[in-house]
């Protein structure tokens, strides 16, 4: 199951990269937030956060330990349910009133 989730994540990233090339002058922004956490902003301005363990993660840049610093989030994705990937996922999804997608189990 982990392998499938990783391939799906890679496919999503590849799709965004292709969309960025299709829109002249616009790019996908990928921001590493520590550990396995990323904020991806699409060329159209949608924000996706993957594996958000931010508030207590020692590798998260200080300004992003406050979940509000991420701005409006449109989608939250988890690769798997370990604490170091999911700790702030529910709060982030609830605060932004968006869906949280995760593999079963």
């Amino acid at each position: 199951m982990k392998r499938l989730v990783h391939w799906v994540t890679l496919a999503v990233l590849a799709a965004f990269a292709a969309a960025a090339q299709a829109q002249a002058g616009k790019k996908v922004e990928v921001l590493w937030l520590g550990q396995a956490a990323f904020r991806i902003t699409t060329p159209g301005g949608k924000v996706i956060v993957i594996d958000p363990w931010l508030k207590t993660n020692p590798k998260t840049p200080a300004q992003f330990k406050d979940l509000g610093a991420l701005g409006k989030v449109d989608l939250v994705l988890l690769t798997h349910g370990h604490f170091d990937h999911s700790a702030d996922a529910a709060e982030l999804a609830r605060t932004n009133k968006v869906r949280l997608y995760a593999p079963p189990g």
Side-chain angles (χ1 to χ4, degrees), residues 3-4 7 11 18 25 42 60 93 97 102 105:
R3 185 171 278 194
L4 174 61
W7 282 110
T42 69
T60 296
K97 297 180 174 79

Side-chain angles (χ1 to χ4, degrees), residues 13-104:
L13 292 174
F16 287 126
Q21 290 176 352
Q23 295 189 17
K26 295 187 178 183
K27 297 182 180 180
V28 171
E29 177 188 294
V30 178
L31 176 64
W32 179 68
L33 297 169
Q35 183 77 5
F38 289 89
R39 181 184 71 186
I40 300 169
T41 305
T42 69
K46 297 293 184 187
V47 176
I48 300 164
V49 177
I50 300 174
D51 287 350
W53 171 39
L54 305 172
K55 292 177 5 177
T56 60
N57 184 343
K59 295 187 181 207
T60 296
Q63 70 266 29
F64 293 109
K65 289 186 180 283
D66 170 14
L67 298 181
L70 293 170
K72 174 69 175 128
V73 173
D74 298 292
L75 181 64
V76 180
L77 301 175
L78 293 181
T79 57
H80 61 283
H82 290 166
F83 176 82
D84 60 341
H85 294 259
S86 64
D88 300 311
E91 181 180 347
L92 190 60
R94 192 173 39 254
T95 301
N96 287 278
K97 297 180 174 79
V98 298
R99 290 188 180 234
L100 166 61
Y101 289 95

